[in-house]
Amino acid sequence: MDFIAKNVAELSPSMTLSITSQAKALKKQGVDVLSFGAGEPDFNTPTHITAAAIEALNKGQTRYTESAGLLELREAVAAKLLIDNNLQYDPSQISVNCGAKHSCYNAIAATINPGDEVIIPAPYWTSYPEMVKLVGGIPVIVETKAENGWKMTADEFEDAMSPMTKMIILNSPGNPTGSVYSREELQAIGEIAAGEDILILSDEIYEKLVYGENKHVSIASLSKEIFDVTITINGFSKAYAMTGWRLGYTAAPKKIADAIDTIQSHTTSNPTTFAQYGAIAALSGDQQIVADMRDEFDVRRQYMLSRLQGIRNVRVVEPLGAFYFLVNIEPMGINSVNFCEKLLSKAKVAAVPGVAFGAENTIRFSYATGLDVINAGMDRFEEFCAQH
Ligand code: PMP
Ligand code: GLU
C-alpha cells in the first residue's frame, strides 16, 4: 500500500538544505569540508534583537498572538514597507509567517487552483516549482539567458502566457543568480501582468543585499494597477541574519491577505511569539548593522568574482545582489549532480548542483561565509577544475 499523496510523491526534497546538512555531518565527523552550500548569513543575529526576544520571554510573552502576527509587528512592517519600498499597506493586509518560505507557500496555496499555470523564470529558487506542484498548480519554466543577466524579458513573459496563467513569480535580487531587475524591466513585466489579471508573487527577501549602483525596486510600487495584482514577500532571515527565527511576511490585496490568514489560522497559527518581539526590535532598531553586513558580503563578492574569473573552464556572470555565484561548468562536460558529488568527495568543497535551480550545467556557491573559507575554497576549486 502506498500511503503517500500523489502531489507529495512527485516532489523532490530541498537540495539546498540537504547539501548543507551533508556538509555539516561531514564536518562533525572531522572531515575538513569548506561549505558554500547554505544560503544563510554566517553572522550572528545582532544582540539588540536577541535581547528583545529574551526580554519578551522573561516578561511571559509565551502565549498565542493573533494568527497573522502581533499588531505591533504588522504596524512595524507596514511602516517599513512605506519608508523603504514606497508601498502603502494597512496592517490588516500583512501576515507574518514562519519564514519567507512559508509566506511563499501561503501565498501560492491561497491563490492557485489545480491546473492553474505559474510562470517561473529559471534559474529559480529551488522551492518555487515544488510549492506550486504541492497545490496542484503547473509550473511553467521560462529559461532566461546569461547575456540578459539571467532576467526574464517582457517578451519572454508574454510568450509563456496562456489562458491558464494565474501567477508569475519574481525574485529580485535573485537566488541563485544574483540578478537585480531595473525599474523599467519591472514596469514592463508589471504592466503586462496587470493588463492580463495575472498575479505577481514578488519575493524580495534579498532586498537589502544589492551592490554597486544597483537599486532594489518593489514592483508593487510602480502603479496602482500593479499593486492590485501583487503579493509582496519579505522576511528577516537574510537582512538581519535571523534564519533560525523563522519569520517572514506577506503584504497583499485585502482579499488575498484574508485568505492567507485563514490558511495560517488552520495550519501553523501565529509564528513563535517571542521571536516576533525580536522582529519588532529588528525593524525599529539601528539599520546600520544591515548596511555593515551588506558591505562585508560585497567584499567577499568582489574577491570571489576575481578568483572565479581566473579559473579556466568555468564561466560566471557578475551577481549584483543576494549572496550567490551561479557558475557555468558546461565546458567540463559533466552534469551538475556528479560534479558536486566529486567536488565534495575529492576537494571537500560543498556547492549546490544547478539542477536544483532548473539550471543544469551550473553549480551554486554561496558566499555567506568568511573570506578565509572563500580563499581556501577557491584554491581547492581551482585545483579541482584543473585536474578534471
Ligand atoms: N526566498 C528565497 C529566494 C530564498 O532564497 C529563501 C531562502 N532562505 C527564502 C525565500 C526563504 O527564507 P526564510 O524562510 O528563511 O525566510
Ligand atoms: N534559501 C537558502 C538557499 O537557497 C536556504 C535554504 C533554503 O531555504 O532553501 O540556500
Side-chain angles (χ1 to χ4, degrees):
M1 181 73 185
D2 190 357
F3 291 114
I4 305 305
K6 208 170 139 284
N7 283 358
V8 178
E10 284 168 9
L11 299 187
S12 337
S14 167
M15 254 196 214
T16 47
L17 294 181
S18 66
I19 299 280
T20 310
S21 11
Q22 239 177 307
K24 276 188 187 154
L26 283 170
K27 265 191 201 162
K28 245 191 165 161
Q29 291 164 24
V31 181
D32 166 33
V33 175
L34 300 175
S35 183
F36 295 87
E40 168 163 52
D42 53 321
F43 303 111
N44 288 331
T45 304
T47 48
H48 68 279
I49 300 174
T50 51
I54 292 167
E55 190 188 333
L57 267 178
N58 287 335
K59 281 189 171 160
Q61 302 290 7
T62 53
R63 298 195 168 78
Y64 297 136
T65 68
E66 298 91 305
S67 168
L70 287 161
L71 178 59
E72 195 186 344
L73 175 53
R74 286 181 288 120
E75 283 171 348
V77 169
K80 177 257 178 261
L81 290 172
L82 186 61
I83 295 164
D84 289 0
N85 310 93
N86 196 22
L87 294 172
Q88 190 141 21
Y89 287 106
D90 186 79
S92 66
Q93 293 174 277
I94 291 164
S95 172
V96 185
N97 324 105
C98 308
K101 186 177 274 187
H102 185 219
S103 307
C104 291
Y105 182 68
N106 276 351
I108 289 168
T111 55
I112 300 304
N113 290 308
D116 283 346
E117 293 181 1
V118 177
I119 293 179
I120 305 176
Y124 47 73
W125 178 42
T126 190
S127 295
Y128 299 138
E130 305 309 289
M131 289 178 184
V132 170
K133 286 192 263 170
L134 195 48
V135 300
I138 301 167
V140 175
I141 307 301
V142 176
E143 304 285 342
T144 64
K145 300 185 182 73
E147 57 267 31
N148 291 340
W150 298 115
K151 289 183 280 190
M152 186 185 66
T153 63
D155 284 347
E156 287 167 341
F157 174 30
E158 279 189 315
D159 288 348
M161 265 165 30
S162 87
M164 293 311 291
T165 308
K166 180 79 178 278
M167 175 186 271
I168 168 176
I169 299 184
L170 291 178
N171 173 217
S172 175
N175 174 5
T177 62
S179 61
V180 177
Y181 283 70
S182 70
R183 176 178 294 269
E184 293 70 32
E185 289 162 342
L186 291 173
Q187 185 91 43
I189 292 172
E191 277 172 12
I192 296 168
E196 299 287 336
D197 278 334
I198 294 173
L199 285 169
I200 303 168
L201 187 159
S202 180
D203 179 350
E204 305 182 10
I205 187 91
Y206 295 101
E207 169 197 13
K208 298 291 178 188
L209 302 178
V210 177
Y211 311 107
E213 299 297 301
N214 300 282
K215 294 257 172 312
H216 169 74
V217 175
S218 287
I219 193 165
S221 71
L222 296 178
S223 73
K224 158 114 184 39
E225 291 71 28
I226 298 175
F227 182 89
D228 287 343
V229 295
T230 302
I231 306 170
T232 303
I233 291 180
N234 208 324
F236 296 86
S237 288
K238 317 292 172 173
Y240 299 98
M242 290 172 69
T243 46
W245 294 62
R246 311 309 305 128
L247 287 170
Y249 53 86
T250 54
K254 186 75 170 66
K255 265 192 168 173
I256 298 178
D258 288 346
I260 288 172
D261 191 25
T262 303
I263 296 174
Q264 183 150 296
S265 74
H266 286 299
T267 50
T268 57
S269 301
N270 62 278
T272 305
T273 299
F274 52 86
Q276 292 187 57
Y277 283 93
I280 294 171
L283 290 177
S284 56
D286 181 11
Q287 300 304 301
Q288 186 56 39
I289 45 149
V290 178
D292 290 348
M293 288 192 269
R294 193 261 328 273
D295 291 349
E296 179 61 31
F297 284 130
D298 195 18
V299 170
R300 299 165 181 186
R301 178 184 75 102
Q302 293 184 36
Y303 174 70
M304 198 153 166
L305 180 64
S306 69
R307 291 295 309 262
L308 287 167
Q309 283 173 335
I311 297 176
R312 278 201 313 132
N313 286 337
V314 303
R315 289 196 303 269
V316 67
V317 177
E318 177 180 354
L320 307 178
F323 41 52
Y324 307 100
F325 276 91
L326 193 69
V327 177
N328 187 316
I329 53 157
E330 201 170 358
M332 316 268 291
I334 165 171
N335 77 44
S336 63
V337 169
N338 288 346
F339 187 95
C340 286
E341 273 170 6
K342 278 207 172 121
L343 186 63
L344 184 58
S345 65
K346 297 224 162 37
K348 309 286 183 283
V349 169
V352 185
V355 69
F357 312 107
E360 190 46 282
N361 297 326
T362 68
I363 63 168
R364 189 192 78 176
F365 285 111
S366 154
Y367 53 91
T369 187
L371 265 182
D372 49 339
V373 174
I374 296 176
N375 184 17
M378 288 301 100
D379 286 349
R380 290 187 194 178
F381 183 57
E382 188 164 12
E383 202 186 323
F384 178 85
C385 290
Q387 285 169 0
H388 292 80

